[in-house]
Amino acid sequence: MADAGLPRAAHIKTRSIERTLLPLIKQISSLVATRGEAAAGGAAVQRVGAAVCCAVERFVAVGETIADDNPDVRHSMVLACKEARAAGRAIERVCAGADGTGAGMVAAARALLASVTRVLLLADMVVVRQLLLAKDKVARSLDRLESVTNFAEFVRAFTEFGGGMVELARLTAERRADLRDERRRAQVAAARNVLERSTLMLLTSSKTCMRHPGSASARENRDTVFCQMRRAMDLIHYVVRDGLPGHEEHSQELQPFSDSHQQAAQWESGTALGALRGLSTQVRAARARGGADSGRRRALAATLRALVERTHDFTDSAYTSHEHRQRILALAERIAYELERLVAVAVTLEEQGGSGAALESACAGATSAATELEKALVVAARDQARDLAPLAEEARKLASDLAHIASSCGERESERLHSIASRLHEQLDHIIEVCKLLRHIAMSETLQVSAKFAEINLRIYGPQVVTAARTLAAHPSSAAARENLDVFVDMWAWLLSDSARLAKELLDLTEERPDKQQYSSLPRPGKHGTTSKPLKAVKLDTEEQAKIAKSGLEMKMMSSEMDAETEKWQGADENNDIVKRAKNMSSMAFAMYQFTKGEGRLNTTQDLFTQAEYFAEEANRLYKIVRQFSYQVPAGTVKKELLEHLDKVPTYVQQLQFTVKEPTVGRAATFSKVDNVIQETKHLMNVISKVVTTCFDCANKVPLPWASSVGVIKRHQSVAPYKLDFTGLSAAAGRGAARDEEAAGGGGGDAKPGGSSSDTTM
């Protein structure tokens, strides 16, 4: 069923469609698994078939309403709804035993999943087109703003532009939250940042240009802002259209922020770390197959060329130390030698045969050289990243000095202005070089995209600070030019802060950290608690660790965030239970992150599952403590926010415990369970972090001894994603949304799920 009935994952770009399909897939899978009983017309199966048919009817009714409201998809939607209705009725007939055997059930399941997926994709297309219409409206407003010639018309055009930007911001936030692909989410976030930050510059640069129409520097400022905003909207258009069915063939179209598709592809995935890991994967494949044919040998040569080309960014940089440059060059030569030896051995084995000892030795040598080169590149990038914070601070001061000189001296001291501008350009080049190296060692797609756009925005907006200063120097008494320069200096400071934050994140992520402090109340796997009969312990191999590395990295970042939150309680009593439980959970989460890297004290999958169960128990204890604490908080907005976050804890505890206790057979199922456990732990960690943060806010309102030094932490919540509900298909789906009334209302009640009481025994 997994192969025959599931829709292609490549067609599903959004989380809302995925969440809608999961209950249906689960129900259909259970029906197919019991198709023998279905053919016999069992009473339970008949009820399930009838429930599926009723749910499909409700779903189809929604689809037909969408078709009535959107003529452009009406024909396709009506056909898809008709197919879904027919498939739902076929399922009901098969479950009633009136239409064929188990083969009929499989065919009906395929048809139902395909038609429902098509309806969902068409509905999603409507949402995408709404976003594109909002984007086109903003683009037209930009064109009008660019062509205005007087202030009154400009004010009217800018008001229209502002309304369109608000709508576009809302729709892009929803789409970003709904996208499944991490890179696409990061790209939309980068485009939204450009639009948001450029809006004020658009206002001031346009005002300056109208005030001084003969100024070439003022026009350059304005034209640069217009160009960047259009590029950002082009990127949004590109990402959103990628989610439309039938646009896969256009995926090689020109991307914004690049001059050709080849450059775009290189921007997308052309990192030195990616080339090294691709090379290691090819070497492992050659070892597993006992050799490499001509096609795989050509692929190895192409990957090596790409790797050498990407290491040039390190060796050609004027800011790379001589020692790092020589080591990188030497290791690149060693990799080339090891791969040449590997190819020679593979050719010999192909032509003459022989033992695999030589191949094993060649593969080991190539893998070892790749590992050492990766470490050398990370060390070289880290060495420059450490200089980024003082560089950014110096560049920020230079921009302030530039603004002061431009406003006070006019053109009389143009030589001094030119000197500071030259120093600012030098600092800018250095910072851009560092961002380029950071992108090469970024371990997640989000960080890669962040580094890429930090470099692009610095390269384009950085020189505009000097241009704005020249405008003010030419018109020292102009209030518009002064305001324009201030806004560009603020943008410069913003970009520098982004670069420094990016460098800090990558320094933290690439730093070798020992195990965290073990707290006395932290459970040890296999010694205490209510763990059920353990499964066979398994160690993950390298490929499996790579697959869950992204989730583990997110877990690590949440752990660091929790540490930062608990550090705010410096004035608290050491025995404060909220702080203690939060630190325990942070330590557990960090241990689970280390497991995804093959490090730390959790050695097997059973250790991970046991740790996850204790994590859920610790969350349960924290829930009870915070529930008691909430009774001391006076009524108000902060208490309401605390209870909203707190009421989500029982659901996430329940989901994690159910996932941990789910039985598995086989290595593939065990790995899937590991991935699910990591995901559920991450979700629970996220809501616990929000609970702890809101407790800080509440502590300021409660006269407790340890609340005196607690600061207020503000957290911006993202816009809820667009959702398509497919209700009534599975009890499991409803169970995830249910809330334990006793836990929510009782003073010290456990956050127990509705299942067995032994699940959360304290």
Side-chain angles (χ1 to χ4, degrees):
M1 177 65 192
D3 296 332
L6 292 178
R8 285 181 57 190
H11 291 164
I12 301 175
K13 306 289 186 180
T14 60
R15 294 172 173 173
S16 56
I17 294 180
E18 185 179 44
R19 286 194 299 267
T20 303
L21 284 175
L22 282 178
L24 175 63
I25 291 173
K26 183 174 181 180
Q27 194 75 290
I28 294 299
S29 299
S30 64
L31 284 175
V32 172
T34 59
R35 53 183 177 269
E37 184 180 349
V45 175
Q46 290 182 28
R47 288 194 297 271
V48 173
V52 169
C53 185
C54 290
V56 170
E57 287 290 340
R58 290 194 297 270
F59 175 75
V60 165
V62 176
E64 290 172 341
T65 302
I66 294 174
D68 292 338
D69 296 337
N70 298 273
D72 51 345
V73 298
R74 181 176 300 159
H75 179 68
S76 299
M77 181 67 84
V78 168
L79 288 179
C81 289
K82 182 178 179 181
E83 293 171 2
R85 181 179 283 114
R89 290 172 180 172
I91 288 281
E92 185 178 26
R93 288 196 301 272
V94 172
C95 290
D99 190 4
T101 60
M105 171 66 75
V106 173
R110 289 181 183 176
L112 180 60
L113 287 175
S115 56
V116 167
T117 302
R118 189 178 174 201
V119 171
L120 290 170
L121 291 174
L122 288 169
D124 188 62
M125 188 185 301
V126 173
V127 177
V128 168
R129 287 177 177 171
Q130 288 175 351
L131 194 154
L132 294 179
L133 287 174
K135 190 270 302 181
D136 291 340
K137 180 181 178 182
V138 173
R140 289 192 298 271
S141 300
L142 271 181
D143 293 339
R144 184 183 172 194
L145 275 172
E146 194 171 18
S147 62
V148 297
T149 57
N150 60 76
F151 280 103
E153 187 179 356
F154 175 79
V155 170
R156 288 193 296 270
F158 195 83
T159 302
E160 178 186 348
F161 168 77
M165 279 292 295
V166 170
E167 178 67 10
L168 181 62
R170 180 184 68 82
L171 293 173
T172 52
E174 293 175 357
R175 191 66 182 177
R176 174 181 174 269
D178 200 27
L179 287 171
R180 295 175 64 223
D181 186 80
E182 178 187 0
R183 180 176 295 277
R184 296 301 183 218
R185 289 198 303 272
Q187 287 173 330
V188 173
R192 294 181 77 247
N193 279 337
V194 170
L195 290 174
E196 177 185 350
R197 296 177 178 182
S198 299
T199 300
L200 186 55
M201 289 193 297
L202 178 67
L203 174 62
T204 59
S205 62
S206 297
K207 286 169 59 179
T208 306
C209 195
M210 284 188 290
R211 182 71 68 185
H212 309 287
S215 173
S217 56
R219 184 169 295 277
E220 181 185 344
N221 273 158
R222 191 199 69 163
D223 291 347
T224 300
V225 176
F226 272 106
C227 182
Q228 276 301 94
M229 295 188 76
R230 288 192 175 103
R231 286 176 171 176
M233 288 191 293
D234 286 344
L235 179 59
I236 290 174
H237 185 95
Y238 169 80
V239 172
V240 170
R241 277 191 65 208
D242 185 51
L244 286 176
H247 285 284
E248 289 81 1
E249 65 272 15
H250 301 299
S251 61
Q252 295 190 355
E253 66 189 34
L254 178 66
Q255 280 202 40
F257 297 91
S258 63
D259 298 325
S260 68
H261 168 63
Q262 287 76 16
Q263 290 178 359
Q266 191 172 8
W267 269 117
E268 287 276 325
S269 57
T271 65
L273 199 62
L276 276 169
R277 292 180 176 176
L279 190 66
S280 299
T281 300
Q282 291 175 319
V283 171
R284 286 197 300 269
R287 174 186 291 172
R289 294 184 176 94
D293 56 23
S294 59
R296 293 190 174 91
R297 293 197 293 269
R298 286 194 297 270
L300 278 170
T303 306
L304 176 62
R305 286 194 299 270
L307 173 61
V308 172
E309 181 180 352
R310 293 163 194 174
T311 57
H312 287 170
D313 285 340
F314 291 82
T315 56
D316 294 348
S317 173
Y319 308 101
T320 301
S321 68
H322 177 72
E323 292 78 8
H324 288 152
R325 182 179 293 108
Q326 292 302 314
R327 177 159 178 76
I328 291 171
L329 289 172
L331 287 172
E333 291 179 1
R334 180 185 164 193
I335 283 185
Y337 166 76
E338 295 290 353
L339 288 180
E340 184 179 351
R341 185 163 71 98
L342 173 60
V343 169
V345 171
V347 170
T348 302
L349 288 175
E350 185 177 359
E351 294 177 351
Q352 303 175 8
S355 66
L359 179 66
E360 184 71 23
S361 174
C363 290
T367 302
S368 173
T371 301
E372 290 189 29
L373 179 58
E374 179 179 337
K375 292 179 180 178
L377 295 177
V378 169
V379 169
R382 283 175 56 85
D383 187 52
Q384 293 200 36
R386 293 189 188 95
D387 299 333
L388 193 54
L391 272 175
E393 184 60 31
E394 184 178 352
R396 194 177 291 110
K397 291 179 180 178
L398 283 174
S400 299
D401 294 343
L402 189 71
H404 176 70
I405 293 173
S407 61
S408 61
C409 71
E411 292 184 323
R412 289 175 297 178
E413 295 187 44
S414 58
E415 185 176 344
R416 186 181 175 195
L417 189 69
H418 178 73
S419 173
I420 294 181
S422 298
R423 290 169 56 196
L424 193 65
H425 278 295
E426 291 176 3
Q427 298 288 355
L428 175 62
D429 290 341
H430 193 171
I431 295 171
I432 288 175
E433 284 290 323
V434 176
C435 289
K436 186 187 298 183
L437 301 191
L438 292 178
R439 189 175 71 88
H440 278 297
I441 67 166
M443 293 172 291
S444 70
E445 293 184 332
T446 298
L447 291 175
Q448 287 178 17
V449 173
S450 298
K452 165 188 169 181
F453 283 98
E455 178 186 350
I456 290 173
N457 291 326
L458 283 166
R459 191 182 302 278
I460 292 176
Y461 275 141
Q464 295 306 309
V465 178
V466 178
T467 304
R470 290 192 177 121
T471 303
L472 181 58
H475 307 279
S477 60
S478 172
R482 172 78 246 186
E483 182 186 15
N484 184 55
L485 177 57
D486 289 342
V487 170
F488 273 90
V489 169
D490 289 342
M491 179 64 166
W492 173 246
W494 222 340
L495 296 176
L496 294 175
S497 298
D498 285 349
S499 303
R501 175 189 53 77
L502 176 67
K504 184 178 183 303
E505 286 183 14
L506 285 171
L507 283 172
D508 290 343
L509 293 174
T510 55
E511 182 181 6
E512 294 293 333
R513 293 177 57 179
D515 282 359
K516 284 194 171 184
Q517 172 187 357
Q518 300 295 328
Y519 296 95
S520 58
S521 61
L522 184 63
R524 298 297 190 272
K527 292 188 177 182
H528 307 288
T530 60
T531 308
S532 57
K533 183 178 179 180
L535 304 172
K536 181 180 179 180
V538 182
K539 285 191 175 183
L540 300 184
D541 58 28
T542 306
E543 292 186 4
E544 290 171 333
Q545 289 170 3
K547 290 179 182 178
I548 61 173
K550 184 180 75 171
S551 298
L553 184 61
E554 293 172 348
M555 178 91 72
K556 188 262 183 186
M557 296 175 72
M558 288 184 182
S559 173
S560 300
E561 183 180 351
M562 181 75 83
D563 289 341
E565 303 289 8
T566 54
E567 286 174 3
K568 300 290 184 180
W569 297 70
Q570 294 300 326
D573 182 3
E574 292 182 357
N575 296 321
N576 182 278
D577 282 339
I578 295 178
V579 178
K580 183 191 301 182
R581 300 301 178 192
K583 287 183 177 180
N584 282 358
M585 295 184 70
S586 174
S587 184
M588 293 184 197
F590 185 76
M592 296 171 78
Y593 154 71
Q594 288 185 310
F595 174 82
T596 65
K597 296 178 62 180
E599 303 172 357
R601 55 187 176 80
L602 304 181
N603 298 317
T604 66
T605 54
Q606 183 55 44
D607 291 342
L608 177 74
F609 299 151
T610 304
Q611 184 75 93
E613 189 167 3
Y614 291 137
F615 187 88
E617 293 178 359
E618 197 73 1
N620 206 352
R621 295 187 182 99
L622 181 63
Y623 170 86
K624 293 192 296 183
I625 295 167
V626 177
R627 175 64 69 179
Q628 292 283 357
F629 167 73
S630 68
Y631 298 144
Q632 307 173 45
V633 180
T637 305
V638 180
K639 180 173 183 177
K640 181 180 178 182
E641 182 182 358
L642 173 63
L643 294 178
E644 285 178 354
H645 294 319
L646 189 62
D647 287 344
K648 297 176 184 177
V649 173
T651 298
Y652 286 110
V653 168
Q654 176 192 37
Q655 291 173 350
L656 178 57
Q657 289 177 328
F658 284 166
T659 303
V660 170
K661 293 180 180 296
E662 182 180 1
T664 57
V665 178
R667 187 178 187 90
T670 301
F671 172 72
S672 178
K673 180 177 177 179
V674 168
D675 190 29
N676 292 336
V677 166
I678 293 291
Q679 292 290 341
E680 294 298 340
T681 305
K682 184 179 66 177
H683 295 157
L684 180 55
M685 186 72 172
N686 184 41
V687 72
I688 289 295
S689 178
K690 293 177 181 178
V691 167
V692 173
T693 301
T694 315
C695 280
F696 299 159
D697 296 347
C698 295
N700 291 324
K701 303 180 181 298
V702 181
L704 298 176
W706 42 265
S708 57
S709 64
V710 178
V712 177
I713 308 297
K714 294 182 179 180
R715 184 180 301 274
H716 300 285
Q717 304 295 336
S718 61
V719 181
Y722 169 75
K723 295 182 180 179
L724 289 167
D725 292 329
F726 196 99
T727 57
L729 290 181
S730 172
R735 191 169 58 232
R739 180 179 301 163
D740 192 318
E741 297 294 339
E742 180 181 354
D750 288 353
K752 291 193 292 185
S756 170
S757 60
S758 64
D759 287 346
T760 51
T761 303
M762 297 297 152

